[in-house]
Amino acid sequence: MTEGQIAELTGAEIVSRCLAEEQVEFLFGYPGGAVLPIYDELFKQDKVKHILVRHEQAGVHAADAYARATGRVGVALVTSGPGVTNAITGIATAHMDSVPMVILTGQVPTDKIGEDAFQEVDTVGITRPCVKHNILVRRAQDIAPAIKKAFHLAATGRPGPVVVDIPKDVTLNSTKYFYPKTVSLRSYNLVTRGHSGQIKKAVDLLMSAKRPMIYSGGGIIMGNASELLSQFVRALGYPCTNTLMGLGGFPATDPLYLGMLGMHGTYEANMAMQDCDVLLAIGARFDDRVIGNPEHFMAVDRKIIHVDVDPSSISKRVKIDVPIVGDVAEVLKAMLNCIDESKSSSVEVNVDAWWKQIGVWREKESSKFAVSDEVIKPQSVVQTLYELTKHDDVFVTSDVGQHQMWAAQYYKFDRPRRWINSGGLGTMGVGLPYAMGVQFAYPDATVACITGEASIQMCIQELSTAQQYSLPIKVITLNNRYLGMVRQWQEFFHGNRYSESYVDALPDFVKLAEAYGHVGMRIEKPSDVEGALKEALALKDRLVFMDFITDQEENVYPMIPGGKGLSEMILK
Amino acid sequence: MRHILSLLLENESGALSRVSGLFSARGYNIESLTVAPTEDSSLSRMTVVTTGSDEVLEQITKQLNKLVDVVRVIDLTDGSHIERELMLVKVRAIAKDREEMKRIADIFRGRILDVTDKTYTIELTGTGAKLDAFFESLDQDAILETVRTGASGIGRGERILKV
């Protein structure tokens, strides 16, 4: 419908029309009293496919993963009160990782707001700290502009989740409908093109560096700038590292790649970060899991260039010498042009000595682990999965903990948007719903959910959703009968006192998977790992739940203890 | 260091709590915060007095600018400016103290707005420092009740905060 055609519609019809207007493919949700009129409209249309999850948290996670994997806005719909509170973890997870999302929430009728009505919660108040923006819609005629604004805010600048809270009476009232074509917000002015003087300065610094380093994060993925980053890094021939959120932003199999950095990053990536003389940080935010102690990091004399679309990310934890606010893709384009111009004129500094030093660090082989014939090493499961699938287009989701780190360390991501995990909030339970969201977006792709026996139980009810929609996810559980990362910290920092970190009374996951109508497999011997994975991957149309019984007390190495610096890694 | 931030924000419900929530969530100080509509009914003007290092102030300003409802932010203390705060003080004024109270109020250019046989209510405007000085010069036992608005501020001369 265009602005010219005006029809009188109910608020609920408007919601449905707006979603179609935004070409929403999937709406992940769960019905309830306050959203019944909207569900009634969804019933009558076939443009937007509603996906019925088993818990609102999982619905938001699935929409979040759909957004991460496709780059489009993920959309979820929940009812008022408990629907909203259940959704909060999902919203906060998306917010921490800057994922573009619109979450529509039902609300009690406007005349009941503030009366502690049944299933009432102050949605705008309770979501405020974990959204990019939120809007309470008070009149039917405000629905379309609010939804348009929400999609615009969610997807532009530094993306993020936007909540639109719609009281029930607003969805029942009728009004003239037209969907606005554009949004104009006087308070929301985006800077996309970086300052040309700063870009020149940055390139000059990089060209004169003796020990350069390029560090990129999730911004490269969200900003669709992986291709440009690869061109840029290769044009310079400089070393590059990715954050946990940035994996796949630069190809992991490229010789210029030093592996992931940070708390569980490679020795060479962390040492190069610490010892470089010029650092280019792009779409990354120097968070505590990446650079550890900022004082330790800043004790070394180096020049830092920081490119980010969000000015508040710059100079937040470390002081920046050359700040560049802008869209990472735009800035990379400008920097590439700048290199071409200056390459001919300026003297190229030889960085061979630096690469030689990096070679020495690489010889530490910090990712090496002791293989075993007796017990399955969790790392080897990920490694085998990678070897079996590296030529296919595979998406890997994970939950949170040791298995997440092993997945990040041993699965080599060469492309963006293939690694889907909760980096910022560290939300256990995301793995399975994330795999669902990705599988909806790419029904023919292999989607592997690398998880642990504790994390998987936090959203295990979604095995039912996966059955309903025939999602052939491969759940790879690295079952060590511990909250592995908690146990590891207790071993290192709490005198081996494993307080409440043993996962007792585990279900029989094979039977559980079968009870949900899926295929279950238990793998206990190292010699069975490859065969079992092959068998599972060959079951193209079935969800396979693989329960790998792994080494119980394996640790994730290298590790930078909390509060320590990048060069203070524990290697084994 | 003390800073006076002036903000223009959308005159929408929830805008105030977005700003105050930001300060509490990120652990920034608020010495005072005042807000009221402007001549443009779609905008509110807010004055926040805060303290922090240059780095903290830079972050506060960036975080405020990130809020969708915040239209503009300036730090008045970056340049010459006028700061004013209104205070109402109810003091005990009996017998010989009555004359002394009147005298102190006059020195600070205060106005007595309400008089009973036991009390004076004094209105005083000025910078926060001036109001503090007035307090200090009073007999502390004589102060019955005080209310302060928090600082408002405006840039001097051509320095204008407008959309």
Side-chain angles (χ1 to χ4, degrees):
Chain A
M1 175 148 314
T2 61
E3 288 189 38
Q5 303 163 266
I6 291 176
E8 187 105 342
L9 301 177
T10 68
E13 284 176 289
I14 291 174
V15 171
S16 166
R17 291 277 190 100
C18 290
L19 296 179
E21 200 76 51
E22 288 291 339
Q23 294 173 322
V24 174
E25 248 187 311
F26 298 106
L27 175 61
F28 298 88
Y30 203 99
V35 285
L36 279 172
I38 297 176
Y39 271 87
D40 200 36
E41 285 310 317
L42 291 172
F43 189 82
K44 298 176 196 162
Q45 57 84 52
D46 57 4
K47 286 197 174 122
V48 182
K49 186 162 169 50
H50 181 274
I51 306 300
L52 178 67
V53 290
R54 297 298 179 271
H55 189 292
E56 287 91 348
Q57 178 186 340
V60 179
H61 287 329
D64 165 345
Y66 171 86
R68 293 181 199 235
T70 62
R72 306 191 60 207
V73 176
V75 190
L77 168 64
V78 300
T79 194
S80 65
V84 171
T85 55
N86 280 346
I88 297 284
T89 300
I91 298 169
T93 304
H95 185 242
M96 282 291 266
D97 290 344
S98 309
V99 180
M101 287 193 71
V102 170
I103 301 99
L104 304 173
T105 60
Q107 182 56 278
V108 301
T110 43
D111 63 336
K112 303 267 189 318
I113 290 178
E115 292 184 358
D116 299 323
F118 177 65
Q119 294 195 326
E120 179 184 358
V121 75
D122 172 11
T123 301
V124 163
I126 207 169
T127 59
R128 188 180 303 119
C130 60
V131 292
K132 182 168 175 184
H133 195 59
N134 58 21
I135 305 160
L136 169 60
V137 182
R138 292 177 186 278
R139 302 176 307 173
Q141 61 264 44
D142 297 335
I143 293 176
I147 292 180
K148 179 74 192 175
K149 185 174 166 184
F151 274 87
H152 176 68
L153 288 172
T156 53
R158 181 177 181 175
V162 180
V163 166
V164 182
D165 194 30
I166 313 175
K168 190 171 184 178
D169 57 325
V170 175
T171 64
L172 293 168
N173 295 340
S174 292
T175 185
K176 289 195 171 70
Y177 166 73
F178 68 88
Y179 198 63
K181 282 214 159 62
T182 53
V183 185
S184 150
L185 291 164
R186 59 181 167 187
S187 60
Y188 185 72
N189 300 307
L190 298 168
V191 178
T192 52
R193 294 183 58 184
H195 187 277
S196 57
Q198 292 289 86
I199 287 171
K200 175 88 177 59
K201 214 162 138 188
V203 169
D204 287 348
L205 256 179
L206 280 164
M207 302 291 274
S208 62
K210 292 191 181 71
R211 301 188 309 280
M213 179 69 170
I214 296 167
Y215 141 62
S216 85
I220 290 293
I221 314 271
M222 289 299 174
N224 298 313
S226 315
E227 194 52 49
L228 285 162
L229 175 72
S230 304
Q231 277 180 38
F232 182 74
V233 174
R234 286 168 184 157
L236 289 168
Y238 287 172
C240 179
T241 180
N242 287 165
T243 66
L244 178 69
M245 289 308 299
L247 297 181
F250 185 77
T253 52
D254 192 294
L256 299 174
Y257 187 60
L258 301 194
M260 180 174 77
L261 83 164
M263 184 172 268
H264 296 294
T266 65
Y267 186 72
E268 55 271 29
N270 286 339
M271 291 304 288
M273 271 294 277
Q274 187 70 12
D275 281 5
C276 63
D277 66 345
V278 175
L279 175 65
L280 169 65
I282 181 155
R285 60 187 179 94
F286 294 90
D287 84 84
D288 56 304
R289 287 298 192 265
V290 166
I291 58 155
N293 182 342
E295 280 80 41
H296 183 278
F297 181 69
M298 292 308 284
V300 179
D301 189 28
R302 69 170 95 62
K303 293 278 181 230
I304 307 179
I305 304 152
H306 192 179
V307 183
D308 206 288
V309 73
D310 176 6
S312 75
S313 278
I314 298 175
S315 290
K316 183 164 74 177
R317 295 193 78 236
V318 300
K319 215 179 151 317
I320 301 302
D321 302 286
V322 185
I324 302 173
V325 176
D327 177 80
V328 286
E330 294 284 335
V331 174
L332 276 169
K333 259 184 237 164
M335 286 171 95
L336 272 163
N337 289 338
C338 223
I339 298 180
D340 292 342
E341 286 163 20
S342 56
K343 243 190 181 162
S344 45
S345 58
S346 71
V347 186
E348 275 195 67
V349 178
N350 192 316
V351 295
D352 290 352
W354 177 231
W355 274 112
K356 200 173 231 175
Q357 173 62 61
I358 290 168
V360 172
W361 289 327
R362 275 177 165 163
E363 279 165 20
K364 286 255 185 193
E365 298 189 299
S366 61
S367 306
K368 208 170 173 181
F369 59 94
V371 284
S372 163
D373 297 333
E374 304 291 311
V375 60
I376 298 174
K377 288 287 181 182
Q379 302 94 320
S380 70
V381 178
V382 180
Q383 236 172 22
T384 310
L385 176 72
Y386 172 68
E387 289 303 327
L388 292 174
T389 58
K390 63 182 173 188
H391 301 300
D392 310 328
D393 196 15
V394 178
F395 292 81
V396 177
T397 75
S398 91
D399 268 300
V400 170
Q402 285 186 318
H403 67 269
Q404 176 191 24
M405 292 301 115
W406 286 318
Q409 290 175 330
Y410 296 99
Y411 203 100
K412 298 190 181 100
F413 295 95
D414 277 341
R415 297 170 65 187
R417 301 191 184 276
R418 296 302 184 279
W419 164 242
I420 315 285
N421 85 129
S422 166
L425 197 66
T427 309
M428 285 172 72
V430 295
L432 180 57
Y434 270 5
M436 289 167 19
V438 175
Q439 193 81 76
F440 277 114
Y442 300 100
D444 300 325
T446 297
V447 181
C449 163
I450 298 178
T451 180
E453 80 287 354
S455 278
I456 190 68
Q457 292 193 79
M458 284 209 184
C459 267
I460 200 146
Q461 75 286 343
E462 297 308 316
L463 285 174
S464 173
T465 312
Q467 173 61 14
Q468 180 176 342
Y469 296 98
S470 306
L471 303 176
I473 295 160
K474 305 296 173 267
V475 179
I476 297 168
T477 306
L478 305 178
N479 182 347
N480 60 1
R481 288 84 70 211
Y482 270 119
L483 300 176
M485 192 58 92
V486 172
R487 189 208 56 75
Q488 178 171 341
W489 281 60
Q490 288 170 333
E491 178 189 329
F492 288 9
F493 313 118
H494 297 277
N496 293 300
R497 288 179 299 280
Y498 296 161
S499 178
E500 305 294 328
S501 54
Y502 183 74
V503 181
D504 214 345
L506 286 172
D508 179 331
F509 286 114
V510 174
K511 281 189 185 158
L512 186 69
E514 286 168 0
Y516 277 109
H518 302 304
V519 178
M521 291 166 82
R522 179 177 297 112
I523 304 95
E524 296 177 271
K525 286 194 298 217
S527 54
D528 292 340
V529 169
E530 187 175 338
L533 279 169
K534 274 184 180 160
E535 193 186 328
L537 290 165
L539 289 170
K540 292 277 180 210
D541 55 351
R542 298 296 298 276
L543 183 149
V544 185
F545 193 115
M546 309 183 79
D547 185 17
F548 287 92
I549 309 301
T550 63
D551 189 349
Q552 223 181 342
E553 301 201 0
E554 185 63 283
N555 289 322
V556 181
Y557 295 111
M559 178 176 184
I560 303 168
K564 295 280 185 181
L566 279 171
S567 58
E568 298 175 305
M569 280 164 278
I570 304 172
L571 289 177
K572 47 182 78 12
Chain B
M1 200 192 141
R2 182 171 180 269
H3 293 259
I4 304 171
L5 302 179
S6 272
L7 288 74
L8 286 175
L9 47 154
E10 297 292 349
N11 189 12
E12 279 180 19
S13 70
L16 166 63
S17 56
R18 285 183 213 280
V19 174
S20 61
L22 187 154
F23 275 78
S24 63
R26 295 192 182 266
Y28 304 140
N29 298 312
I30 298 184
E31 198 176 282
S32 72
L33 185 156
T34 67
V35 59
T38 63
E39 76 285 1
D40 174 350
S41 63
S42 71
L43 285 172
S44 294
R45 168 113 174 201
M46 181 183 277
T47 310
V48 185
V49 180
T50 183
T51 51
S53 63
D54 290 349
E55 291 76 32
V56 169
L57 257 293
E58 185 184 332
Q59 261 302 308
I60 292 176
T61 311
K62 285 175 171 177
Q63 294 292 347
L64 285 171
N65 273 311
K66 220 163 107 173
L67 296 175
V68 173
D69 285 340
V70 172
V71 184
R72 284 196 65 194
V73 182
I74 60 162
D75 185 346
L76 281 179
T77 26
D78 278 348
S80 63
H81 63 280
I82 299 161
E83 175 197 345
R84 284 294 178 271
E85 183 176 357
L86 174 79
M87 173 166 75
L88 300 173
V89 194
K90 193 172 286 179
V91 292
R92 191 183 306 110
I94 25 178
K96 61 175 177 24
D97 290 344
R98 277 181 93 78
E99 197 45 44
E100 177 63 4
M101 281 298 173
K102 174 81 174 63
R103 208 174 57 82
I104 296 173
D106 287 343
I107 291 169
F108 282 87
R109 295 171 195 262
R111 293 201 305 149
I112 297 173
L113 300 181
D114 186 49
V115 178
T116 69
D117 53 0
K118 292 196 179 71
T119 66
Y120 282 154
T121 298
I122 305 164
E123 175 201 54
L124 199 69
T125 53
T127 62
K130 177 184 164 181
L131 304 191
D132 291 343
F134 178 67
F135 265 139
E136 281 159 26
S137 62
L138 290 177
D139 171 8
Q140 298 301 299
D141 293 336
I143 302 171
L144 299 173
E145 187 182 349
T146 62
V147 54
R148 292 171 70 153
T149 58
S152 286
I154 197 162
R156 281 189 187 273
E158 301 302 307
R159 206 168 166 223
I160 289 161
L161 175 62
K162 212 174 162 87
V163 174

